[in-house]
Amino acid sequence: MVHNHPSGDPTPSHADIEMTKQVRDAAAALGIAVHDHLIIGRKGHVSFRERGLI
């Protein structure tokens, strides 16, 4: 999964983290693996996998 933060700050919000968990769980029920969630911003990017969030 990938999305951007127009503010430029790629730090995941609480809502980003919760939504990712919900999508991961729904995908797993269908036999689909979510390997990572990237947030892109002007100041770089954040990988949920690298941060242990997924």
Side-chain angles (χ1 to χ4, degrees), residues 15-38:
D16 291 330
I17 294 167
E18 289 304 312
M19 180 271 306
T20 300
K21 290 177 184 177
Q22 291 174 358
V23 171
R24 180 199 59 203
D25 294 347
L30 298 171
I32 300 167
V34 176
H35 296 283
D36 204 348
H37 182 178
L38 300 173

